[in-house]
Amino acid sequence: MLTPGEFVGRVAEWVAAFNRGSLDLPDGILHKDAVFRLNGRAYDDTFGRPTTDPLVRLVARGPGGYRLLVKALQYTLTAPEIALRNFEIRHGLATGHIDLTGRLRDTSEAWVSNADVAMTVDIDGHVTELAIQMDTDRVARLQQAREA
């Protein structure tokens, strides 16, 4: 069982890896079935197939889903970076704020956005759910840049 301080340290390692452009994760930080949500909608719900489908679970959850999402963000933003602020964990819920920066691939304009983050953490220190809440206009702009 990780202490809250150890968990925060592992998340800091995770952020540092992301900012280096790495798809690596600290060992065991994500549960193999971790769910990713953006504005309440689970990533595996966007596939148009049952969430019980093994292929959907393989590519949309856990480390595989994380890597797929990060690659999409790296395609959308040149050299994306995040800064995590006011991050804390209490009773299995880790919360904070993220500042996301980079350059939009379609126009090369500088991108700055912020979001709230919440992570549900099991007793062993694995993230079982990662939820991001971001302004819908900002999400739409990211989608536009990705599709260009």
Side-chain angles (χ1 to χ4, degrees):
M1 186 165 134
L2 292 177
T3 67
E6 290 170 330
F7 179 77
V8 170
R10 293 182 79 206
V11 170
E13 290 175 37
W14 187 0
V15 168
F18 176 91
N19 288 344
R20 288 191 309 271
S22 174
L23 298 177
D24 293 337
L25 292 158
D27 287 338
I29 190 83
L30 277 182
H31 189 277
K32 67 180 180 90
D33 288 323
V35 175
F36 302 98
R37 293 185 187 281
L38 177 60
N39 295 343
R41 187 168 185 203
Y43 181 50
D44 50 359
D45 287 341
T46 66
F47 282 74
R49 299 178 67 152
T51 58
T52 55
D53 182 324
L55 183 59
V56 170
R57 294 178 76 81
L58 178 69
V59 299
R61 291 190 174 193
Y66 168 77
R67 288 180 178 101
L68 194 60
L69 287 165
V70 170
K71 284 306 283 180
L73 189 58
Q74 288 172 340
Y75 180 79
T76 304
L77 291 174
T78 302
E81 290 190 6
I82 57 174
L84 188 57
R85 301 181 285 111
N86 303 323
F87 189 72
E88 62 183 16
I89 181 169
R90 290 188 183 156
H91 309 293
L93 181 64
T95 58
H97 305 283
I98 291 175
D99 298 318
L100 174 64
T101 60
R103 293 204 165 273
L104 291 168
R105 203 165 282 280
D106 63 342
T107 63
S108 295
E109 73 183 272
W111 173 267
V112 178
S113 187
N114 55 42
D116 294 323
V117 62
M119 299 178 197
T120 304
V121 183
D122 70 14
I123 192 135
D124 296 318
H126 304 114
V127 174
T128 58
E129 184 172 324
L130 189 150
I132 302 287
Q133 191 71 34
M134 183 185 283
D135 181 82
T136 56
D137 290 340
R138 303 304 280 167
V139 172
R141 180 62 185 101
L142 286 171
Q143 289 173 330
Q144 178 187 2
R146 179 163 162 58
E147 294 169 1

